[in-house]
Amino acid sequence: NYAWERIGDTPQNMDPRLDRFKVKVVYGNDRGSATARALTKRMIQAGYKNVRMYLGGLEEWTRAGLPVERSAEPAGVNP
C-alpha cells in the first residue's frame, strides 16, 4: 500500500522510492474504481514505468480468497 497523495504528478515530483518496484499495480476498492483509473493515468503521465491497474479491485481479490497484507498505516505516509 502506498498513499496516493505521495505520488508525484510530474517527472520532477516523482517519488524515486517507487523505482525499486519492477511493476506498480494500482487498485481500488471495487471493480473499475474511478479513483484507481485516475491514479493509474496520473502515474503514467508523470513518467512512472510499468504501471498496471487491477480492474477487479480489492473486492474481487478478497472474494476470490486471495491473501491480503495489512499494515497499521499505508506505506509512504511516514517516509
Side-chain angles (χ1 to χ4, degrees):
N1 288 336
Y2 195 83
W4 70 270
E5 297 91 351
R6 305 209 39 111
I7 304 290
D9 57 359
T10 66
Q12 297 80 16
N13 294 332
M14 290 172 58
D15 188 338
R17 293 175 292 180
L18 292 178
D19 287 339
R20 67 184 176 173
F21 302 105
K22 184 175 180 180
V23 177
K24 292 94 172 152
V25 178
V26 179
Y27 62 91
N29 287 327
D30 52 28
R31 183 165 189 75
S33 164
T35 302
R37 286 182 189 273
L39 181 56
T40 301
K41 182 177 178 180
R42 177 178 168 185
M43 290 179 72
I44 291 169
Q45 289 176 337
Y48 289 95
K49 303 293 182 209
N50 297 316
V51 178
R52 305 288 185 265
M53 180 178 167
Y54 179 67
L55 291 175
L58 186 59
E59 180 181 287
E60 179 181 274
W61 185 269
T62 54
R63 190 173 45 244
L66 298 167
V68 176
E69 292 183 19
R70 300 192 188 276
S71 61
E73 52 189 300
V77 171
N78 294 314

